[in-house]
Structure formats: C-alpha cells, structure tokens
Amino acid sequence: EDDLDNIYFNGYPEGIKIGYSQFDQLMSWFTSQVTVLTGIPGHGKSEFLDQVMMKLAEMNWKFGVFSAENQPTAQHAVKLIEKKAEKSMFGFNKMSDYDYQQAKIFINDRFFFIKFNEINLSIDAILQRGKELVTRHGIKMLVIDNWANLDHNYAGMNEHQYIGQSLIKVMNFAKMYDIHVVVVAHPTKIYKNKETGLHEVPNLYSISGSSHWFNKPDNGITIYRDMKTGFTEVHIQKVRWKFTGKVGHAVFNWNKENGTYIEQF
C-alpha cells in the first residue's frame, strides 16, 4: 500500500536519461531491470553499449563487465578512455597526457572487468562474480557480452527451456541486488531486403533458441548500421513499463576516431 500511495501522490519514478534527446524519450535507465541487446555482427552493439555505460558512469554508476568481444581487457579500456576523453589515443587528434591520465583514473574507479581466466563461463559463475562486485564496489550494471561465449549446461532441458530458466535467474539477480543487467546476444535469423540488398533490422525473435529473448526481459534493443548512409540506428523494440520509455528508434553518427556517438536529427 505504501508503494501504491507513493505512485498516487508522487507519480512514477524517473529513470536516468543519458543526454540524447531522441533516445531519452524512448528509454530511461533503472536498476532492478534486464535489457537484452542484439544486432548483426559488426553493426556496433558493443560500441554503443560502451557509450551508454560511459554516459551512466558520468552519473556515478559503476559496472561489472564480462565482454568476450573486447579481450584482452586493455583493448577494451582503450575504447572507454577514448570515449571519455572524446579524443583518440593515436594520430592527429591524439589526447594529451593529462587527458589520458584523468580518463584512466575515471575508468579504473568505475569499471571492473571479469576476465576469462578468473571464472568458468557459466551463467551461474558470472552472476556470482557480479554479486561480489555489488558487495565490494557497488556496481549498478552487470554486462554479459555475449551469450554465445558462455558455457551452457542444459542439464536435460531443451534450448528453449534452458534460456527461459537462465533469464529468470538473471531477472531475479537484477531485482535481488538492485542492479541493471544487460545481456548481449547475436541474432541468427538475418534476412536481406530483395529490393535494396540491405540486411533487414533483426529483432529479439531473431535470436537463436527461444522466444524468451523477447518475452522475459524488461527492455529489448537492436543496434543496426545502415550501410548506405553509415548511420547507426538504435531500435527500442520492447519496453515493459510505460513510464520507462516506448518503442521507437533514434539515429546516431559514430565517430570512428574516438568511438563516440552523436545523435542525428
């Protein structure tokens, strides 16, 4: 009843917006939620997720990151440092030593990387490591990038059942420890438009194994790069609660030099 009265008198809670006017109308960020992020390989899933994390880090969120896409860890740190400094570590627009040192301190304070050799790669082991990072460092987001790189023990279940049970574990974990969990998963059903020759935008049902990829999470996002324009489209394909956002898409230009994204209007 107290929770109900709070909504009546004060309205729904407000999530965190990351400073992109179009995107912020579609999605805000809350703890105790799960987001599934997908997209065609090479279209920038991990790059855009890094940008979101950087924006949230500037609002004092901390992160536990398992990223098979960004190993070794130093390579991933380079990307994050460039996003923080908004300059490259190399070339004409190379960041100053001061910018580099400040960005390095910032990353060290807010990002905690889960390495391959630290744990086995089951979902249970990743969540256990996430629990430790919540306790020790107060992380607000756990990133699992990507699902295909985990060790999966079906234990008598079929793939659909296993994915459903695994996502329930992730959802319960997010609520129990009041953090946001992002699971990155590749689509396997990728189609081309016969007229344009371009790949069509995949959705959460395009991910292999189960309709649970759409049914279970609170939010679903697809990252899609238009190969003709070069722009990155961020499609919000599912939002469970109307006060957190809505379905739609925002368009970004990716700066290859420093890895940052600029919203297009």
Side-chain angles (χ1 to χ4, degrees), residues 103-172:
K104 191 166 60 170
I105 292 169
F106 182 88
I107 301 304
N108 187 58
D109 180 62
R110 290 168 173 79
F111 291 83
F112 303 90
F113 299 97
I114 302 171
K115 299 179 183 179
F116 280 104
N117 60 359
E118 290 180 339
I119 58 170
N120 68 60
L121 298 183
S122 69
I123 187 63
D124 291 328
I126 297 264
L127 295 180
Q128 176 60 35
R129 189 72 175 95
K131 174 184 174 181
E132 294 169 7
L133 292 173
V134 171
T135 303
R136 294 179 184 177
H137 301 291
I139 65 167
K140 286 294 185 183
M141 179 180 285
L142 176 66
V143 170
I144 303 172
D145 184 9
N146 65 66
W147 183 258
N149 290 96
L150 302 187
D151 292 332
H152 301 296
N153 181 2
Y154 290 84
M157 294 180 281
N158 62 37
E159 189 174 17
H160 175 76
Q161 293 168 331
Y162 169 77
I163 290 172
Q165 289 297 314
S166 297
L167 290 176
I168 288 172
K169 288 181 181 179
V170 172
M171 293 166 64
N172 290 340

Side-chain angles (χ1 to χ4, degrees), residues 60-224:
N60 294 317
W61 276 36
K62 294 183 178 182
F63 306 85
V65 182
F66 172 77
S67 181
E69 301 290 305
N70 288 292
Q71 296 284 342
T73 301
Q75 305 289 358
H76 195 181
V78 167
K79 295 181 179 182
L80 294 169
I81 286 171
E82 289 183 332
K83 284 179 168 61
K84 175 58 181 171
E86 298 185 351
K87 292 181 180 178
S88 174
M89 287 183 65
F90 316 96
F92 176 75
N93 193 33
K94 183 175 180 177
M95 68 186 69
S96 67
D97 181 66
Y98 176 80
D99 288 340
Y100 169 64
Q101 297 298 337
Q102 291 299 113
K104 191 166 60 170
I105 292 169
F106 182 88
I107 301 304
N108 187 58
D109 180 62
R110 290 168 173 79
F111 291 83
F112 303 90
F113 299 97
I114 302 171
K115 299 179 183 179
F116 280 104
N117 60 359
E118 290 180 339
I119 58 170
N120 68 60
L121 298 183
S122 69
I123 187 63
D124 291 328
I126 297 264
L127 295 180
Q128 176 60 35
R129 189 72 175 95
K131 174 184 174 181
E132 294 169 7
L133 292 173
V134 171
T135 303
R136 294 179 184 177
H137 301 291
I139 65 167
K140 286 294 185 183
M141 179 180 285
L142 176 66
V143 170
I144 303 172
D145 184 9
N146 65 66
W147 183 258
N149 290 96
L150 302 187
D151 292 332
H152 301 296
N153 181 2
Y154 290 84
M157 294 180 281
N158 62 37
E159 189 174 17
H160 175 76
Q161 293 168 331
Y162 169 77
I163 290 172
Q165 289 297 314
S166 297
L167 290 176
I168 288 172
K169 288 181 181 179
V170 172
M171 293 166 64
N172 290 340
F173 178 87
K175 291 179 172 62
M176 182 177 295
Y177 294 101
D178 191 30
I179 69 170
H180 196 113
V181 181
V182 177
V183 180
V184 180
H186 291 314
T188 57
K189 303 168 188 175
I190 303 173
Y191 303 100
K192 277 190 175 182
N193 186 300
K194 293 181 180 180
E195 295 181 0
T196 65
L198 297 175
H199 289 108
E200 296 179 354
V201 179
N203 57 49
L204 302 187
Y205 287 119
S206 304
I207 302 171
S208 175
S210 177
S211 58
H212 287 312
W213 288 115
F214 183 90
N215 298 333
K216 296 294 186 188
D218 299 285
N219 312 293
I221 302 175
T222 295
I223 308 298
Y224 176 83

